[in-house]
């Protein structure tokens, strides 16, 4: 019987008998691993490419392997590779899989640095990118496939604009064309089971809720077949990808309380999203759990919950300057990139996002809110005075 997610988060990756009984795996830093003989070194070397055995620092230590085992289990996959950052959890598998002359489909709502990577480095290496509307029907998406399309990249919900994609339907089209489905599943952590919905490669910025304290930079890639594991692992080794063991250790610690923190973020996020939805200054709220968000029906079908990150579109009467004035007036929301930490954050959407397939336009200016673990009452009081500033009061 598969253990429940709460149990997996507590137990996965721990092996106290191997660590003198200590509850947590140790933080192991190191480059050289010593072997008893040349024969022993050779034997370990042959296994280390694909198995969790310590051979040389860059190939990983117990600390990395513990986190990778836990990630694979909570995602429902077979193997995982940690990477230096959330962005490298995107670039490493793309570089490992694609080659010159191939084509990739990427949603217009993709995380900005993923777009930059496609438009600069992938382009220089002769890989062509087509951006598609994340809400395209499967039939319309099919028309964008070329004989050389090797990857359908997805991100659901989309960065800043929160479109929820019909991953199972789009994956069917991709697989019919022999393409792999990559998903940036950072927002859907614990709430979207990638491999039950047709995904081949699931990507996470562990920097967000797994770290949970705005103090690490880390990524993870999970796959569900031996074939996918082999190209991912080889590519990762060839690229010299290495994640800090200190950050892996903190991520392991973060995993143990992840479901509690996510639950708190979901509850507070929904309370504040609903509060915004009832305000006259707001045109609509881009929270996947609310009907006003593109793809809400798909969210209800495919997700088991939400995190605390969502968007708010203001009435067209308010300008970008009004929204900036509101943000500057907030005292409990930090102004800064990232999300998933214990503290609340806000960023304007306008001026932040880049789009090239005509999506991401709403009736008014928008902002993105990350709801932290503060009192909801305090946050709403702060937002009240922020909305007064929006109106120029
Ligand atoms: C959806 C998404 N994917 C990936 C990343 C990249 O993560 P990192 O900051 O660890 O590189 C981010 C960061 O904001 C993100 O929002």
């Amino acid at each position: 019987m598969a253990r429940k997610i709460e149990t997996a988060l507590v137990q996965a990756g721990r092996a106290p008998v191997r660590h003198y009984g200590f509850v947590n795996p140790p933080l192991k830093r190191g480059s050289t691993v010593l072997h008893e003989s040349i024969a022993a070194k050779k034997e370990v070397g042959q296994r280390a490419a694909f198995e969790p055995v310590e051979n040389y620092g860059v190939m990983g230590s117990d600390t990395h392997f513990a986190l990778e085992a836990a990630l694979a289990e909570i995602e429902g996959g077979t193997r995982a590779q940690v990477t230096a950052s959330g962005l490298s959890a995107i670039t490493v598998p793309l570089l490992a899989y694609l080659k010159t002359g191939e084509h990739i489909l990427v949603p217009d709502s993709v995380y900005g640095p993923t777009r930059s990577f496609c438009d600069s480095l992938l382009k220089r290496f002769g890989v062509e990118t087509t951006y598609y509307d994340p809400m395209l029907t499967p039939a319309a998406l099919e028309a964008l496939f070329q004989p050389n399309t090797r990857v359908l990249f997805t991100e659901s919900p989309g960065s800043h604009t929160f479109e929820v994609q019909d991953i199972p339907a789009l994956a069917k089209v991709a697989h019919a064309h022999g393409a792999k489905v990559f998903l940036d599943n950072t927002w859907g952590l614990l709430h979207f089971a990638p491999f039950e919905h047709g995904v081949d490669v699931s990507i996470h910025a562990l920097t967000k809720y797994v770290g949970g304290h705005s103090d690490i930079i880390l990524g993870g890639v999970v796959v569900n077949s031996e074939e996918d594991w082999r190209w991912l692992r080889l590519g990762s080794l060839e690229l010299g990808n290495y994640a800090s063991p200190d950050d892996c250790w903190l991520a392991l610690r973060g995993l143990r309380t992840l479901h509690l923190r996510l639950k708190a973020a979901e509850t507070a996020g929904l309370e504040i999203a609903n509060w915004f939805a009832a305000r006259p200054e707001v045109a609509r709220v881009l929270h996947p759990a609310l009907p006003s968000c593109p793809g809400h029906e798909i969210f209800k079908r495919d997700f088991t919950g939400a995190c605390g990150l969502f968007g708010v579109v203001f009435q067209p009467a308010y300008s970008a300057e009004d929204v900036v004035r509101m943000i500057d007036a907030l005292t409990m929301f930090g102004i800064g990139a990232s999300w998933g930490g214990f503290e609340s954050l806000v960023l304007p959407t306008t001026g932040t996002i880049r789009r090239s397939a005509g999506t991401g336009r709403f009736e008014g200016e928008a902002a993105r809110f990350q709801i932290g673990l503060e009192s909801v009452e305090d946050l709403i009081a702060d937002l009240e005075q922020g909305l007064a500033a929006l109106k120029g009061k």
Side-chain angles (χ1 to χ4, degrees):
M1 190 184 76
R3 47 190 176 183
K4 299 252 183 293
I5 194 71
E6 295 84 353
T7 311
L9 287 169
V10 166
Q11 296 182 346
R14 294 205 289 113
V17 283
R18 282 176 47 201
H19 309 304
Y20 300 98
F22 278 99
V23 167
N24 291 298
L27 164 50
K28 277 198 190 170
R29 319 174 112 270
S31 52
T32 302
V33 172
L34 300 177
H35 303 272
E36 280 181 4
S37 64
I38 290 295
K41 180 177 183 301
K42 203 166 159 192
E43 193 271 326
V44 167
Q46 277 162 354
R47 293 196 290 126
F50 300 108
E51 290 176 41
V53 286
E54 291 171 333
N55 181 43
Y56 179 62
V58 80
M59 302 177 92
S61 71
D62 260 357
T63 313
H64 300 93
F65 304 148
L67 178 59
E68 287 167 346
L71 277 181
E73 180 173 347
I74 67 173
E75 282 272 281
T78 51
R79 298 299 293 264
Q81 172 70 54
V82 288
T83 63
S85 64
L87 181 57
S88 65
I90 296 161
T91 60
V92 165
L94 285 175
L95 282 174
Y97 194 65
L98 290 165
K99 63 176 185 298
T100 301
E102 293 183 335
H103 173 243
I104 171 174
L105 287 163
V106 175
D108 208 24
S109 50
V110 77
Y111 171 59
T114 307
R115 176 185 287 268
S116 303
F117 172 73
C118 293
D119 290 349
S120 56
L121 198 136
L122 276 192
K123 190 174 177 193
R124 267 193 283 129
F125 284 13
V127 174
E128 186 202 353
T129 302
T130 301
Y131 293 98
Y132 66 92
D133 179 343
M135 300 310 290
L136 267 193
T137 62
L141 181 83
E142 180 141 40
L144 300 178
F145 273 83
Q146 303 176 7
N148 59 345
T149 307
R150 292 270 286 155
V151 169
L152 172 68
F153 197 91
T154 60
E155 184 180 323
S156 179
S159 270
H160 284 272
T161 44
F162 298 93
E163 300 90 340
V164 184
Q165 297 194 259
D166 190 347
I167 302 289
L170 302 181
K172 220 179 242 175
V173 175
H175 290 151
H177 286 264
K180 293 266 182 214
V181 179
F182 286 39
L183 168 68
D184 184 333
N185 195 26
T186 304
W187 193 98
L189 179 65
L190 298 195
H191 295 138
F192 183 83
F195 306 110
E196 289 172 18
H197 292 91
V199 171
D200 300 298
V201 179
S202 181
I203 289 161
H204 283 277
L206 305 177
T207 307
K208 316 299 177 197
Y209 281 103
V210 174
H213 295 73
S214 304
D215 55 4
I216 68 168
I217 291 282
L218 192 66
V221 188
V222 188
V223 291
N224 196 31
S225 75
E226 189 57 26
E227 176 208 316
D228 288 339
W229 171 242
R230 291 185 88 81
W231 63 254
L232 171 67
R233 175 69 174 163
L234 277 185
S236 169
L237 291 173
E238 283 160 5
L239 286 162
N241 166 61
Y242 181 68
S244 145
D246 303 65
D247 285 352
C248 291
W249 191 86
L250 283 169
L252 277 163
R253 182 155 82 168
L255 280 183
R256 309 306 174 200
T257 56
L258 176 62
H259 58 296
L260 295 175
R261 290 183 289 103
L262 260 179
K263 190 79 217 151
E266 177 183 38
T267 305
L270 271 170
E271 205 174 323
I272 293 178
N274 280 313
W275 177 84
F276 267 125
R279 291 289 306 206
E281 301 87 350
V282 171
R284 68 160 131 171
V285 177
L286 302 172
H287 189 306
L290 268 60
S292 48
C293 188
H296 167 66
E297 291 303 321
I298 296 164
F299 173 81
K300 280 201 299 189
R301 187 193 68 193
D302 292 349
F303 285 68
T304 57
C307 65
L309 186 78
F310 62 89
V312 173
V313 180
F314 296 96
Q315 294 289 359
Y318 302 109
S319 66
E321 293 72 41
D322 293 334
V323 173
V324 165
R325 199 169 53 249
M326 176 204 73
I327 290 176
D328 282 343
L330 295 173
T331 61
M332 298 204 184
F333 290 78
I335 300 171
S338 204
W339 45 283
F342 55 80
E343 82 289 16
S344 291
L345 297 171
V346 62
L347 275 184
T349 300
T350 314
T352 305
I353 61 169
R354 277 176 293 149
R355 299 292 152 98
S356 56
T359 72
R361 294 204 195 101
F362 297 104
E363 49 277 74
E365 302 295 328
R368 185 183 79 171
F369 291 86
Q370 127 83 17
I371 305 303
L373 300 174
E374 304 89 343
S375 140
V376 170
E377 209 178 308
D378 287 348
L379 292 178
I380 287 181
D382 195 31
L383 290 168
E384 290 265 10
Q385 63 89 21
L387 289 183
L390 175 87
K391 291 184 279 192
K393 289 186 188 149

